[in-house]
């Protein structure tokens, strides 16, 4: 099959995922439509010659109205588009993801050797080369309700694992979420490495990390621990 045919097939599979999200979340949460996630730029993700990375986050946030959650119905790419090239939305979450991904895809560059996003906003374009999914795809409050998160996983694990299969990443980073997935993935929280745990299975690297907006470790530790681990795995030093 020609590369162009494979790309078109991949786009079709991504479209099926979005249809599955709509079907799965129909009527799931009152006054809330799903926020569609997955891949910001399918072309960039598919043609990226480097490592394919999937981040698994918790839930999107849009704010509460009169004490009730309401909203959704938009796609992640509506936020990360040409109108917002610096990706200033939710910097406490997205900036650590940008730095980590930028380091991995730029010859494992360490955090202290990178420019700041505010000084080189183009480095945020790296977001277009990754995939990310939220465990719960309807909006939540600023602080995630863990019971609601676990319920969303239990209710929608078929969808979530289909996303993983479709995007076929080399590296899966569970940002405060991997404990939900490990049983179905057939992996265990195996080896500690700095602030993270990891396991390798079927040539894929699974990482347990803090959520990027965490306060348990400094940003440079969060970013560098993941980059260093991925480099060691990629060079078959694990």
């Amino acid at each position: 099959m020609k590369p162009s045919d494979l790309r078109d097939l991949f786009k079709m599979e991504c479209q099926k995922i979005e249809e599955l999200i709509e079907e799965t979340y129909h009527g799931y949460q009152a006054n809330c439509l799903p926020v569609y996630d997955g891949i910001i730029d399918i072309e960039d993700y598919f043609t990226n010659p480097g490592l394919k990375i999937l981040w698994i986050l918790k839930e999107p946030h849009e704010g509460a109205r009169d004490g009730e959650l309401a909203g959704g119905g938009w796609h992640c790419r509506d936020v990360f588009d040409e109108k917002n090239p610096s990706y200033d939305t939710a910097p406490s979450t997205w900036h650590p993801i940008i730095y980590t991904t930028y380091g991995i895809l730029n010859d494992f560059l360490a955090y202290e050797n990178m420019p700041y996003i505010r000084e080189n906003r183009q480095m945020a374009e790296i977001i277009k080369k990754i995939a990310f999914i939220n465990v719960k795809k309807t909006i939540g409050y600023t602080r995630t309700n863990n019971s609601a998160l676990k319920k969303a996983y239990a209710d929608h694990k078929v969808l979530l694992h289909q996303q993983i299969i479709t995007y076929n990443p080399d590296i899966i980073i569970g940002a405060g979420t991997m404990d939900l997935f490990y049983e179905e993935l057939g992996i265990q929280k195996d080896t500690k490495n700095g602030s993270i745990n990891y396991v390798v299975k079927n040539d894929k690297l699974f990482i347990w990390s803090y959520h990027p907006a965490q306060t348990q470790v400094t940003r440079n530790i969060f970013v560098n621990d993941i980059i260093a681990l991925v480099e060691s795995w990629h060079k078959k030093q694990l």
Side-chain angles (χ1 to χ4, degrees), residues 78-99:
D78 296 334
V79 177
F80 303 119
D81 62 13
E82 67 278 359
K83 297 178 182 178
N84 187 24
S86 62
Y87 308 131
D88 287 329
T89 301
S92 62
T93 294
W94 285 104
H95 283 195
I97 291 174
I98 290 167
Y99 285 120

Side-chain angles (χ1 to χ4, degrees), residues 26-63:
H26 179 73
Y28 183 69
Q29 184 174 325
N31 302 317
C32 279
L33 296 171
V35 174
Y36 297 85
D37 54 26
I39 299 175
I40 305 296
D41 190 309
I42 294 174
E43 185 79 20
D44 269 12
Y45 181 84
F46 184 80
T47 58
N48 170 29
L51 297 167
K52 297 284 193 297
I53 303 169
L54 168 66
W55 289 80
I56 304 179
L57 305 177
K58 294 181 177 181
E59 62 183 354
H61 297 284
E62 196 176 292

Side-chain angles (χ1 to χ4, degrees), residues 136-147:
K136 178 173 170 285
K137 301 187 190 302
T138 48
I139 61 174
Y141 294 105
T142 302
R143 185 176 293 276
T144 297
N145 182 310
N146 287 327
S147 295

Side-chain angles (χ1 to χ4, degrees), residues 112-129:
E112 56 271 18
N113 296 326
M114 298 182 205
Y116 290 115
I117 294 172
R118 64 176 179 268
E119 297 171 354
N120 181 7
R121 292 176 179 257
Q122 289 303 308
M123 68 187 293
E125 295 288 327
I126 206 78
I127 286 290
K128 294 180 179 180
K129 297 185 183 297

Side-chain angles (χ1 to χ4, degrees), residues 55-58 96-97 173-177 189 192 194-197 207-218 221-222 225-226:
W55 289 80
I56 304 179
L57 305 177
K58 294 181 177 181
I97 291 174
I173 304 172
T177 58
K189 196 173 184 178
K192 182 78 171 176
S195 65
I196 56 181
N197 287 74
I207 298 175
W208 281 253
S209 80
Y210 291 118
H211 189 275
Q214 56 78 40
T215 57
Q216 289 92 332
V217 298
T218 60
I221 290 175
F222 176 89
D225 279 0
I226 298 175

